[in-house]
Amino acid sequence: MACASFAKLSAASSQWIGQQSFAQRPGSSTRLATRRVFVPIRASSYTEELVKTAKTIASPGRGILAIDESNATCGKRLASIGLDNTEVNRQAYRQLLLTTPGLGEYISGAILFEETLYQSTTDGKTFVDCLRDENIVPGIKVDKGLVPLPGSNNESWCQGLDGLASRSAEYYKQGARFAKWRTVVSIPCGPSALAVKEAAWGLARYAAISQDNGLVPIVEPEILLDGDHPIERTLEVAEKVWSEVFYFLAQNNVVFEGILLKPSMVTPGAEHKEKASPETIAKYTLTMLQRRVPPAVPGIMFLSGGQSEAEATLNLNAMNQSPNPWHVSFSYARALQNTVLKKWQGRPENVEAAQIALLVRAKANSLAQLGKYSAEGESDEAKKGMFVKGYTY
């Protein structure tokens, strides 16, 4: 478990230490006396492992497959191809994904829902072992979903901190090595200062608890695509949100080298009259990251947020046309799975074709992570947008 070591620091050397006034006594020297204070510095027993795990996930040409949809949302996906929302059907679909031969060439981590973390294939092999055999790190969704935030402008906050430490310890025993917590910020709703602070503080507490239990936290304040605002407004809000997030991460002594980020790309609102090019999205997104994210963070794993499969890949590719201080990659759900589901249709004879479709999308994003992707030959299906107003999962 975590322990604390202490460093002696001079309070006069930093305005951030001690936060006290050093008023001069009458008749005393104008020279301030140096005051020693003890400041705790986080030194977790898992620190080396956390850093190693984060670097493994942020490895060249690879990204994250997000299959952490709740049972209800997975049911919606299955319903789109005429299947009932049963554990057997959910297990069959996730088995298709997690047993795809060669997936580890392009995928370094897979975010699982709790049910999936404890499931096995029909042959009895655990899904965790399926991932390990492909050199893919198993991850786990740990938040408990969004609920209304009282006192806000019709906004939400993310629940799940209660019991998180004990749950995280159990997930680690089961084989998970990283975690994911998603909260959201809505631009049409303001966003209010309360909602931004709540999102940032919740993420910071989750991150500290995760690291304390051996899990690399993915930090994900999703700025929703909802709205008709221009890209400049998205940049303004994103900078505010990430400023708050890193402030509270530092307040909670989170080790930056042992986290991953899952930001939204900086785009116009989905209902804005003008679409932005991949080059424009890359410019604004990288500007935000350069202004707000320390280079100590090993990986930026973007969410697709309702973009089409091709859009998400093109935008990622544009961001990798020049070197970045972090590994800039993907953590996609629908942008990796949309075509796969339609190929599968719930039929055993279509499993191989569906797995090939997954490899095609994973390879495209692998090339985008390397800045070498070309959209030539992309199918019409891959170009279809997947934005859903007020999307939840």
Side-chain angles (χ1 to χ4, degrees):
M1 298 302 289
C3 60
S5 60
F6 294 88
K8 287 186 176 181
L9 298 172
S10 168
S13 66
S14 172
Q15 63 178 317
W16 303 109
I17 299 173
Q19 298 292 318
Q20 294 191 23
S21 167
F22 294 87
Q24 182 183 348
R25 293 180 182 176
S28 66
S29 168
T30 56
R31 184 167 177 251
L32 290 176
T34 299
R35 178 171 174 259
R36 297 284 186 180
V37 295
F38 288 92
V39 178
I41 296 176
R42 183 179 172 82
S44 170
S45 59
Y46 288 109
T47 298
E48 289 186 8
E49 182 183 350
L50 292 168
V51 173
K52 182 179 179 181
T53 299
K55 287 182 177 178
T56 298
I57 297 172
S59 53
R62 300 205 296 167
I64 294 174
L65 170 64
I67 54 171
D68 58 318
E69 303 90 350
S70 67
N71 288 346
T73 299
C74 189
K76 294 177 184 178
R77 306 273 170 85
L78 295 174
S80 72
I81 56 171
L83 292 184
D84 292 332
N85 185 17
T86 65
E87 183 175 352
V88 170
N89 286 337
R90 293 192 300 269
Q91 185 268 354
Y93 177 54
R94 284 159 173 166
Q95 177 172 322
L96 179 162
L97 298 170
L98 298 177
T99 60
T100 299
L103 187 63
E105 183 176 352
Y106 312 117
I107 300 296
S108 56
I111 312 172
L112 310 178
F113 192 62
E114 186 177 65
E115 176 183 78
T116 315
L117 182 68
Y118 291 91
Q119 283 179 328
S120 300
T121 68
T122 50
D123 294 332
K125 185 175 182 179
T126 68
F127 284 156
V128 168
D129 284 339
C130 291
L131 292 170
R132 284 173 172 165
D133 287 350
E134 284 283 342
N135 192 30
I136 299 172
V137 181
I140 177 70
K141 169 186 165 70
V142 298
D143 68 79
K144 293 295 184 179
L146 300 169
V147 291
L149 176 62
S152 71
N153 186 26
N154 196 31
E155 295 161 289
S156 301
W157 69 284
C158 188
Q159 58 187 345
L161 289 178
D162 288 350
L164 180 58
S166 58
R167 287 190 289 120
S168 297
E170 289 301 314
Y171 297 149
Y172 184 92
K173 289 179 184 177
Q174 184 63 19
R177 289 298 178 268
F178 72 102
K180 176 246 177 125
W181 175 287
R182 173 187 180 255
T183 193
V184 301
V185 173
S186 169
I187 292 178
C189 289
S192 68
L194 173 64
V196 172
K197 184 174 182 179
E198 175 59 45
W201 177 255
L203 284 166
R205 290 305 305 141
Y206 137 78
I209 294 168
S210 295
Q211 288 192 338
D212 210 39
N213 289 280
L215 303 179
V216 169
I218 290 183
V219 179
E220 181 184 359
E222 179 177 355
I223 298 170
L224 298 173
L225 281 175
D226 303 59
D228 59 3
H229 50 276
I231 194 169
E232 291 82 5
R233 175 60 178 156
T234 308
L235 175 63
E236 179 185 10
V237 172
E239 288 185 354
K240 172 62 176 174
V241 170
W242 281 104
S243 176
E244 291 275 300
V245 167
F246 273 100
Y247 173 77
F248 286 119
L249 287 173
Q251 290 283 301
N252 282 273
N253 300 310
V254 171
V255 179
F256 290 175
E257 293 86 351
I259 67 174
L260 296 167
L261 306 188
K262 188 170 179 177
S264 318
M265 296 179 190
V266 178
T267 68
E271 297 163 280
H272 188 63
K273 57 184 180 296
E274 295 180 12
K275 291 195 68 174
S277 68
E279 292 74 22
T280 299
I281 291 170
K283 175 186 174 183
Y284 276 82
T285 304
L286 291 175
T287 294
M288 183 274 291
L289 294 176
Q290 289 160 1
R291 289 174 176 175
R292 293 293 181 264
V293 180
V297 174
I300 314 290
M301 322 299 286
F302 282 101
L303 58 90
S304 54
Q307 300 175 69
S308 74
E309 291 176 329
E311 279 177 332
T313 308
L314 280 166
N315 293 338
L316 178 62
N317 186 69
M319 281 185 266
N320 282 296
Q321 293 307 299
S322 58
N324 293 300
W326 334 267
H327 174 81
V328 175
S329 192
F330 60 93
S331 178
Y332 294 163
R334 288 175 289 168
L336 281 171
Q337 297 179 53
N338 190 50
T339 301
V340 176
L341 263 173
K342 293 178 179 180
K343 288 282 186 182
W344 179 44
Q345 293 295 316
R347 298 173 183 166
E349 64 268 23
N350 292 343
V351 166
E352 185 177 354
Q355 290 179 330
I356 291 172
L358 175 59
L359 287 178
V360 167
R361 290 262 45 97
K363 182 179 180 180
N365 287 293
S366 169
L367 290 170
Q369 197 287 309
L370 299 170
K372 300 178 180 179
Y373 167 75
S374 168
E376 185 177 349
E378 281 283 18
S379 67
D380 290 338
E381 187 63 45
K383 297 175 183 178
K384 290 182 180 178
M386 292 178 279
F387 169 70
V388 177
K389 191 171 183 178
Y391 180 71
T392 59
Y393 67 101

